[in-house]
Amino acid sequence: MASSTAVTLIFFFFFFIFFISSTSTFASTTVPGRRVSKIYAFGDSYTDTGNTKSGPDGPDGFNHVSSPPYGMTFFHKPTNRYSDGRLVIDFITEFLSLPYLTPYLNRDKSDTSHGINFAVAGSTATDQNFFVKQNVTFYVPNASINVQLGWFKIFLESHGCRRQVINNKMTMSKECTGLMDNALFWVGEIGANDYAYIIGSSVTRETIQTLAVSRVTGVLKELLEMGAKNVVVEGLPPTGCLPLALTLAPTDDRDDIGCVGSANKQSYNHNTQLQANLGYLQKQYPQSMISYADYFAAYRTVMKNSKKYGFKEPFKSCCGSGAEPYNFDLFAPCGSPSASKACKHPSQYINWDGVHLTEGMYKVVAEMFIHGGYMRPSLF
């Protein structure tokens, strides 16, 4: 009898230990998914899940995104994502057990209860009218982050949410609670296009850095004032590693990882100022969590040891016209009649079309954000 009791006690002891460790693990991996019930996303083509084709605000030169081989890896058809499959934001939604985000300009009667995506390919952090005043002739879509914020406000208002003044204090109406509570605000990388559009103009990089970071900071402040509690802001990737930059820049402009040094320094400086501003915002809004997703550092880590992450081609585009050495031709882009074929194994390539990344690379970056310490502080 005593022996039986001892066995029983030992059994319950190990069951208790197992239960505690199991519930602890469960909490650390699933509580964020339960806490975050919707995502509102902003950004450019690196986050756009289908807004470009849906309206007149997308850039003219990117209409080929609606043609094969875009989408070939996961969706097996073009979905107006600038990749062969999923983007970072798609992997984030999967991790949180949420459906893929509906693009705002193509929402129709789609379910938006789990969030919506306002990101548009070709969009900028700086307002379009700045480029118009500077006589920048390259097509700049009217879909800046300020415009995307305006769409978000319209979305809220269409669901009865409005801002109101009570006792001389700006507050949100009760209808906003269900829309804002448990929401993750994902501000994908935006600003790279700003620098690209001024090439050949008299506008300096310093001017763009000041304007772009200021605009993003302003939008973030408005979101925080509206009640955003969980915010992730992506920095710029090392744009000098893209085949587009490598093709256009002189061969003596290279850094320690073989990318265009001047372009990467530009992205690094931009991110430094952005992070400083996020620090100021966190002090002003201590009730909210503002996290920086370090795209630049994550990408550089992969480039330093690309084979470790499964990539055999760190520079060459998977989809292109065959132009050497990067399989990239600005006048024969992926999806066009002269460049409608892609490599057999996109997952072995970092670059998809010379400007955007493969699903394989987006997946690695997303995992580095979620589990690898490249999101500071981590929301997951």
Side-chain angles (χ1 to χ4, degrees), residues 326-370:
Y326 304 112
N327 189 29
F328 177 76
D329 184 341
L330 187 60
F331 301 102
C334 177
S336 63
S338 56
S340 58
K341 294 183 179 180
C343 62
K344 291 183 179 180
H345 304 290
S347 63
Q348 297 178 359
Y349 286 66
I350 288 177
N351 292 284
W352 165 245
D353 59 8
V355 179
H356 309 96
L357 311 179
T358 60
E359 176 184 273
M361 181 59 169
Y362 284 130
K363 182 178 182 181
V364 167
V365 171
E367 290 175 346
M368 294 172 84
F369 288 163
I370 295 169

Side-chain angles (χ1 to χ4, degrees), residues 168-304:
N168 296 320
K169 184 179 180 180
M170 183 67 73
T171 61
M172 304 296 286
S173 65
K174 63 180 181 179
E175 290 83 3
C176 304
T177 302
L179 296 168
M180 299 292 286
D181 282 2
N182 303 323
L184 171 62
F185 289 81
W186 187 276
V187 181
E189 80 89 14
I190 189 164
N193 290 321
D194 301 51
Y195 295 101
Y197 293 153
I198 65 167
I199 293 176
S201 76
S202 60
V203 182
T204 66
R205 293 176 176 179
E206 291 75 19
T207 297
I208 286 298
Q209 178 180 315
T210 299
L211 288 173
V213 174
S214 175
R215 292 293 190 277
V216 172
T217 304
V219 167
L220 291 172
K221 189 165 186 175
E222 279 210 57
L223 291 174
L224 292 164
E225 288 285 348
M226 293 166 68
K229 298 301 182 185
N230 301 296
V231 182
V232 174
V233 184
E234 287 185 344
L236 299 185
T239 54
C241 295
L242 301 176
L244 170 64
L246 290 162
T247 298
L248 297 178
T251 55
D252 61 350
D253 184 4
R254 297 292 185 268
D255 59 15
D256 62 314
I257 55 174
C259 301
V260 178
S262 59
N264 279 356
K265 183 179 180 181
Q266 168 187 287
S267 296
Y268 180 83
N269 291 340
H270 178 104
N271 291 340
T272 299
Q273 183 59 59
L274 176 61
Q275 290 177 77
N277 285 18
L278 295 183
Y280 298 141
L281 288 176
Q282 186 64 79
K283 291 179 181 179
Q284 293 175 15
Y285 301 92
Q287 73 280 7
S288 298
M289 178 72 79
I290 306 171
S291 184
Y292 177 68
D294 199 339
Y295 219 129
F296 191 94
Y299 198 122
R300 269 186 60 89
T301 298
V302 174
M303 289 296 294
K304 286 182 176 180

Side-chain angles (χ1 to χ4, degrees), residues 84-133:
D84 58 307
R86 292 163 289 183
L87 313 177
V88 168
I89 190 63
D90 294 313
F91 290 109
I92 296 299
T93 59
E94 287 182 3
F95 174 73
L96 295 172
S97 300
L98 297 175
Y100 298 130
L101 296 182
T102 297
Y104 175 76
L105 297 177
N106 195 28
R107 62 195 182 282
D108 296 326
K109 296 181 180 180
S110 300
D111 180 13
T112 58
S113 60
H114 295 290
I116 195 164
N117 193 338
F118 302 96
V120 176
S123 60
T124 55
T126 309
D127 293 339
Q128 183 199 47
N129 58 14
F130 169 81
F131 297 99
V132 173
K133 291 178 180 178

Side-chain angles (χ1 to χ4, degrees), residues 10-33:
I10 291 171
F11 170 79
F12 277 106
F13 172 78
F14 281 107
F15 175 79
F16 179 75
I17 295 298
F18 174 77
F19 178 77
I20 292 297
S21 63
S22 296
T23 52
S24 175
T25 302
F26 180 84
S28 66
T29 57
T30 64
V31 166

